[in-house]
Amino acid sequence: VDAKTKFCLHSGLNTIGGNIAEIRYKGDRVLFDFGRAYNPADTLLTNAQGREGTKVNDMLRLGMIPAVDGLYDNSWPGVTAVFISHLHLDHMGAIDVIHPDVPVYMSRPGLELYNELQALGEGPFRQNVLAFDYEVPVHIGEISVTGYEIDHDVLGASAILVETPDMKIAHSGDIRMRGQRPELNHKWINTMHNLNLDYLLMEGTSFWPVRDADSSVDNKFVQHKEGDVPSVIAEMLQRSGVCFFNFYHRNIERMANLLAAANMAGRKLVFEPDTARLAAKFLPPTPGVQYYVLGESVTVEDINSSPQSYFVQNTLQNIFSLIDYNAADSGYIHTNGVPLGPFDPAFGSMVSFLQQLGIEFYSVPSAGHCDKDEILGIIDGIKPKVLVPWHSTSPDTMVPLDENQQMLMPEKGRWY
Ligand SMILES: [Zn+2]
Ligand SMILES: [Zn+2]
């Protein structure tokens, strides 16, 4: 493509998350997504003493953020803006190190959630976060940026379109087809198809190196549909002891589905206070269905006196409180909570802790991502001039259905 527009992928080419792209037209530029790929070394940096003043340099040195000209000290002479597709840390976890005069945009529902999370003390913290409305372009110099609502397992998820006078680039964000609102995706696919995109940056979470003799890896995305979560969990709640759940509280739909599961099983759902605050703000009220708040409307003593009547939230930081419960015939349902999976050393610790207490562990995952065939279907539906796979540990295994589909496997940090 012979164009004045230049773009560069700074990171996220062969990792799940940490995707950062920069698009320049003349002196102006936009970046999209500013998160961090999962890195076990993060705990060290979070706990580092006396290094607040050197955070940007520390993170650059550790390869946790890319060297982007003038972004951290605001020395870029033109206009800069950063757009966030959704509120998962691998897409927004580093926005606090961007210079505060550089605006960061997210969808309007995303910003409402971001503000609530800040109030609960959940970073990254920053000023100058602005909202975009879906399908309403934001003008950054001569560049126009439009967010589209798509379905993913977090409130306010978006795909992002960047248009300059001579180029159209779309970023899929993270996307799932087996959620409860696939029609959003189909609308987006249709709109992108009609635009005749130059580049599509497509997430490929489900594309990973195939190892023979390890079929469990390929089964990773044989997971529950979001809409099936209530009945699957309700089934597990048919026992005589207390049941616990651990989910990611940015996933407001899951919150509703957990409440539905408790209701189906005739149990009372109990949220921890922080999550109850999000529920009060974002959960659409269902007539006749209510939830309780731990330490406020329900106590541990209440639960111990009638354990089979409750379904109680337990996040990792509160796991020691499980010692206080009557554990007879109890169960713990992990449904995409933190730690997210066995790749995190904390996951094994959590499982053995529960085992020690005699609490039976269950996993009810519902993916926020498409499987391979669904991704290939999206690419074929959009038919960009050039496909760029990213957000994948194995982007080279994304082989389009259409053998004439052009692809670019970009080099990290190179300008195109
Ligand atoms: Zn992601
Ligand atoms: Zn995500």
Side-chain angles (χ1 to χ4, degrees):
V1 183
D2 182 27
K4 288 203 186 80
T5 307
K6 299 262 172 277
F7 70 90
C8 173
L9 304 196
H10 290 291
S11 59
L13 291 169
N14 49 18
T15 49
I16 292 177
N19 300 58
I20 301 178
E22 179 178 355
I23 297 157
R24 293 183 183 170
Y25 183 77
K26 298 180 181 170
D28 305 322
R29 62 180 184 170
V30 301
L31 289 100
F32 46 68
D33 283 355
F34 217 80
R36 290 151 55 177
Y38 170 77
N39 180 348
D42 281 7
T43 330
L44 295 178
L45 191 70
T46 310
N47 297 322
Q49 301 284 313
R51 298 195 67 84
E52 292 74 20
T54 58
K55 188 164 179 184
V56 169
N57 284 330
D58 289 353
M59 288 178 73
L60 284 166
R61 179 70 181 80
L62 293 169
M64 295 165 78
I65 50 171
V68 179
D69 288 347
L71 188 66
Y72 308 113
D73 60 2
N74 200 28
S75 61
W76 178 258
V79 183
T80 300
V82 177
F83 287 76
I84 299 302
S85 65
H86 64 284
L87 294 194
H88 281 149
L89 290 173
D90 62 321
H91 295 261
M92 53 78 82
I95 60 173
D96 55 335
V97 298
I98 298 169
H99 192 279
D101 290 346
V102 175
V104 171
Y105 287 85
M106 46 184 76
S107 71
R108 194 165 296 282
L111 180 58
E112 283 173 17
L113 177 57
Y114 178 72
N115 288 335
E116 281 305 309
L117 292 168
Q118 303 260 296
L120 296 178
E122 287 186 39
F125 303 100
R126 90 178 317 267
Q127 305 289 312
N128 203 3
V129 182
L130 307 173
F132 60 77
D133 288 301
Y134 289 125
E135 301 182 37
V136 178
V138 176
H139 299 285
I140 308 298
E142 287 184 69
I143 308 173
S144 147
V145 184
T146 313
Y148 293 85
E149 189 174 19
I150 53 156
D151 196 23
H152 182 46
D153 59 345
V154 66
L155 186 72
S158 321
I160 294 171
L161 171 70
V162 176
E163 293 169 286
T164 69
D166 60 15
M167 197 185 282
K168 293 174 200 160
I169 303 182
H171 165 35
S172 65
D174 286 353
I175 186 165
R176 64 173 171 184
M177 280 298 184
R178 279 158 297 155
Q180 291 168 298
R181 298 186 304 161
E183 66 284 357
L184 296 174
N185 305 334
H186 293 298
K187 186 179 174 207
W188 168 70
I189 292 166
N190 223 11
T191 308
M192 293 304 107
H193 173 84
N194 293 336
L195 281 172
N196 198 16
L197 290 178
D198 294 299
Y199 293 92
L200 170 65
L201 276 59
M202 189 72 215
E203 73 116 321
T205 308
S206 53
F207 291 83
W208 55 80
V210 177
R211 281 166 277 174
D212 342 274
D214 187 3
S215 58
S216 66
V217 175
D218 255 346
N219 284 333
K220 187 172 155 194
F221 280 81
V222 183
Q223 299 190 344
H224 303 285
K225 288 182 181 166
E226 186 64 42
D228 293 340
V229 166
S231 56
V232 171
I233 291 182
E235 187 65 33
M236 292 170 177
L237 298 178
Q238 307 303 319
R239 54 196 302 137
S240 62
V242 60
C243 288
F244 303 99
F245 62 93
N246 177 5
F247 81 117
Y248 199 54
H249 71 188
R250 296 173 191 203
N251 187 349
I252 305 299
E253 283 184 356
R254 187 68 50 83
M255 192 184 269
N257 284 334
L258 285 159
L259 187 54
N263 205 46
M264 279 164 110
R267 287 184 185 242
K268 292 174 178 160
L269 189 95
V270 184
F271 285 127
E272 292 173 352
D274 281 359
T275 300
R277 228 179 121 158
L278 294 181
K281 171 103 183 165
F282 297 110
L283 202 59
T286 314
V289 179
Q290 66 174 121
Y291 56 84
Y292 298 80
V293 185
L294 191 63
E296 294 173 19
S297 45
V298 164
T299 64
V300 176
E301 293 68 39
D302 295 333
I303 296 166
N304 279 338
S305 63
S306 181
Q308 77 290 351
S309 305
Y310 293 96
F311 189 29
V312 184
Q313 185 182 12
N314 184 266
T315 48
L316 189 68
Q317 69 267 26
N318 295 321
I319 197 165
F320 266 78
S321 68
L322 296 182
I323 293 172
D324 303 333
Y325 291 90
N326 170 2
D329 200 31
S330 59
Y332 178 101
I333 297 168
H334 181 265
T335 177
N336 304 103
V338 175
L340 296 174
F343 60 86
D344 185 336
F347 193 87
S349 307
M350 172 185 72
V351 172
S352 31
F353 183 85
L354 297 170
Q355 207 166 21
Q356 179 64 35
L357 294 182
I359 300 171
E360 191 163 355
F361 177 81
Y362 297 96
S363 178
V364 183
S366 176
H369 300 277
C370 290
D371 67 19
K372 294 179 190 183
D373 292 339
E374 290 162 341
I375 291 287
L376 298 180
I378 292 173
I379 295 163
D380 211 52
I382 293 179
K383 289 203 182 292
K385 288 181 192 145
V386 181
L387 168 69
V388 182
W390 70 342
H391 195 285
S392 169
T393 54
S394 193
D396 53 309
T397 61
M398 193 187 280
V399 179
L401 300 173
D402 177 355
E403 57 183 26
N404 296 317
Q405 174 66 58
Q406 280 207 51
M407 284 185 85
L408 172 68
M409 305 295 286
E411 230 174 90
K412 181 176 168 164
R414 178 174 160 186
W415 285 91
Y416 291 89

